[in-house]
Amino acid sequence: LQLRVAEHFVPVFVLAREYIIIAGEAGQDMYFIRSGAVVVVAIDGKVGRKLEVGSFFGEESMLNYTISTESYRSATDTHLLQLSREALQAVLIDFP
């Protein structure tokens, strides 16, 4: 299963201070941090926790078909692995 999921990762490079997920948008993807860092930004603009290498985000709204309640912004130039809902669903069909 892990190998099948890994086949669907899309590498993404994000410049520092670029928004990856914006609060209020429907979650379609989740991301894994390969290098760099991402900060969580509340709706009121306050910067919260910092996510670093090995962390992931976006899974809750992606898996639950909900609106993201927080924004995620790169704190540094960041390399991510993106996994779309569609890709995950395609893999899970083979692993019920």
Side-chain angles (χ1 to χ4, degrees), residues 33 36-40 47-53 55 73-76:
I33 302 173
V38 172
V39 291
V40 180
V47 175
R49 66 190 185 282
K50 185 176 188 180
L51 306 175
E52 296 180 324
V53 175
S55 298
R73 185 182 72 208
S74 57
T76 63

Side-chain angles (χ1 to χ4, degrees), residues 27-78:
Q28 302 292 323
D29 306 296
M30 68 179 294
Y31 299 88
F32 299 82
I33 302 173
R34 291 182 62 199
S35 69
V38 172
V39 291
V40 180
V41 182
I43 291 174
D44 64 5
K46 291 183 182 176
V47 175
R49 66 190 185 282
K50 185 176 188 180
L51 306 175
E52 296 180 324
V53 175
S55 298
F56 57 91
F57 58 95
E59 76 286 355
E60 186 175 327
S61 58
M62 181 189 86
L63 294 172
N64 296 321
Y65 294 84
T66 58
I67 301 298
S68 180
T69 58
E70 301 171 312
S71 294
Y72 293 83
R73 185 182 72 208
S74 57
T76 63
D77 290 352
T78 302

